[in-house]
Amino acid sequence: MSNLPPLNIETIWAILDEKLDDATVNQLLWHYLGYRYDSSTAQWDTSQVTPEWQNEYPQPPDFIESRPATVKLTRSIPAENKQMLKEKLGFKGYKIGEFGPRQTRRATAANWLLSYLQQTNDKIKNSTHKGMEFLGMGKKLPVWPMPYAPSGALSNLDHPLKGIEFPAAFN
């Protein structure tokens, strides 16, 4: 699992667009759930996995093949994050007749990973991929002049701070 793609918006879209294989999607989920494979013992280390997952899945499940595991994954997404793919990335879903359980489970995996990303405030690398605006990476914020302008430079500007009295320390 050392060759996993970074957890970022491009990876989420690669899951949805089926550019990542199912094994990689599973490995991403296992990694962020805390499952670690110890090659020296040929066993899974679950010391970083929450008890809810450890008890039911002492070995990481195949989320693409297992409906119960995907249902548990869905239930573990906080309510406010359940629609993140749609609300934050603009994902419109799959067209009728073009999807089955596999695509639905991949969308659940993508939503869980996006929710995880949101919750942990992971750094996301700059990207030009669609959906970056909600992370503050697609828009530039306006740059306003400093409120202190010794020559009265603000007097002729349509500035949001124009007319506000500042304490003497700022003058």
Side-chain angles (χ1 to χ4, degrees), residues 28-163:
L28 280 164
L29 290 167
W30 299 341
H31 179 79
Y32 291 104
L33 282 166
Y35 291 95
R36 301 293 186 271
Y37 187 74
D38 184 346
S39 55
S40 65
T41 63
Q43 302 221 351
W44 285 96
D45 173 8
T46 59
S47 60
Q48 298 178 49
V49 178
T50 63
E52 306 86 63
W53 283 95
Q54 272 183 10
N55 296 337
E56 199 167 336
Y57 297 100
Q59 301 223 357
D62 182 341
F63 289 98
I64 308 304
E65 294 297 321
S66 170
R67 183 180 180 280
T70 305
V71 168
K72 185 173 184 67
L73 196 64
T74 301
R75 290 180 179 157
S76 71
I77 300 171
E80 64 273 12
N81 293 350
K82 296 257 189 218
Q83 296 294 317
M84 284 186 77
L85 292 178
K86 177 181 169 186
E87 293 171 359
K88 305 295 186 182
L89 298 185
F91 179 64
K92 297 186 186 333
Y94 300 107
K95 293 179 182 171
I96 294 176
E98 294 180 6
F99 74 97
R102 185 175 158 276
Q103 288 77 15
T104 302
R105 291 175 187 153
R106 289 176 66 91
T108 297
N111 200 47
W112 188 90
L113 289 165
L114 186 59
S115 176
Y116 176 88
L117 189 62
Q118 177 84 12
Q119 291 176 62
T120 58
N121 294 320
D122 278 349
K123 293 249 181 186
I124 298 176
K125 294 181 181 176
N126 283 334
S127 170
T128 57
H129 203 289
K130 53 190 171 186
M132 294 306 292
E133 289 80 16
F134 92 97
L135 297 167
M137 296 178 162
K139 296 180 181 174
K140 288 188 178 181
L141 296 175
V143 178
W144 298 106
M146 294 298 293
Y148 174 72
S151 64
L154 289 180
S155 60
N156 294 330
L157 294 176
D158 184 19
H159 189 280
L161 300 177
K162 184 177 177 183

